[in-house]
Amino acid sequence: MIEDNEKLTPEEIAAAEQPVETPEADPLAEKDAEIAELKDRLLRAVAESENVRRRLEREKADAVAYAVTGFARDLLGVADNLRRALEAAAKDGTVQGPLLSGVEITEKELLKVFEKHGIARIESVGQKLDPNRHQAMLEVAQDGAEAGTIVAELQTGYVLKDRLLRPAMVSVAKAG
């Protein structure tokens, strides 16, 4: 033992005050660190599996909701042709009676099926041009119309629930 404290340096005094580690204390600290690491890995793995489950549920819901997208796009041409036939018959006046009413009923039935499956027309005329829903084909001078307002619809656009199936092709009023 050292009897004279004045001969020791401050580092030696601090080292002497440190508790001496026993062989039993070191393995416990290692085991505690290993337990903490394993617990962290377990929590991360559980969180990851929960995220994967949620993502798969979301993807499944989207697949169910939008499974008819390709088929719906194909039917849009049919709806367009029925509308063109009705407009041509109205202009011409030669097609009357049962044929005309049959085409009208067919178009109404098709639109009812569209509505049943979440397919809706995009209302365009009188609206501001929305590049996410409309495709401007022409820019025309229009008295009384504000610039950027849709003045005519060249082809109807459709959405499936909240997704765009086909943009509406429109004519837009020009500035000045």
Side-chain angles (χ1 to χ4, degrees):
M1 282 249 158
I2 301 175
E3 294 180 15
D4 191 6
N5 283 341
E6 294 181 52
K7 294 181 182 176
L8 294 177
T9 64
E11 291 83 19
E12 292 172 328
I13 294 172
E17 291 174 354
Q18 293 288 331
V20 176
E21 292 188 22
T22 61
E24 296 85 33
D26 192 38
L28 286 178
E30 286 178 16
K31 294 297 181 190
D32 287 343
E34 185 179 349
I35 289 171
E37 179 189 348
L38 291 173
K39 185 176 180 180
D40 181 58
R41 287 175 56 193
L42 174 67
L43 290 174
R44 290 178 188 273
V46 168
E48 177 66 22
S49 65
E50 185 65 22
N51 289 339
V52 167
R53 185 188 62 77
R54 285 187 192 138
R55 182 175 45 88
L56 289 175
E57 285 177 0
R58 187 173 54 248
E59 288 175 359
K60 179 183 174 187
D62 283 351
V64 168
Y66 302 110
V68 297
T69 300
F71 184 66
R73 280 194 181 114
D74 292 342
L75 284 179
L76 296 182
V78 175
D80 291 340
N81 289 333
L82 287 172
R83 174 69 6 219
R84 285 185 200 112
L86 289 171
E87 289 171 358
K91 286 180 185 174
D92 189 4
T94 58
V95 178
Q96 297 292 327
L99 179 61
L100 183 60
S101 63
V103 173
E104 288 172 345
I105 290 169
T106 304
E107 183 192 39
K108 286 179 186 175
E109 186 68 26
L110 181 62
L111 294 176
K112 199 183 310 179
V113 169
F114 279 2
E115 184 179 329
K116 178 181 172 186
H117 292 283
I119 301 168
R121 295 174 88 150
I122 297 173
E123 296 300 323
S124 299
V125 178
Q127 304 289 322
K128 279 289 198 187
L129 179 71
D130 178 0
N132 296 317
R133 296 177 148 240
H134 305 116
Q135 183 175 352
M137 302 303 289
L138 300 168
E139 191 174 39
V140 295
Q142 183 80 22
D143 292 338
E146 187 178 329
T149 302
I150 297 169
V151 293
E153 185 176 73
L154 307 173
Q155 184 180 48
T156 305
Y158 291 90
V159 291
L160 173 61
K161 296 181 182 9
D162 59 346
R163 287 189 185 171
L164 183 68
L165 277 177
R166 180 178 77 188
M169 292 185 185
V170 297
S171 177
V172 181
K174 126 171 28 175

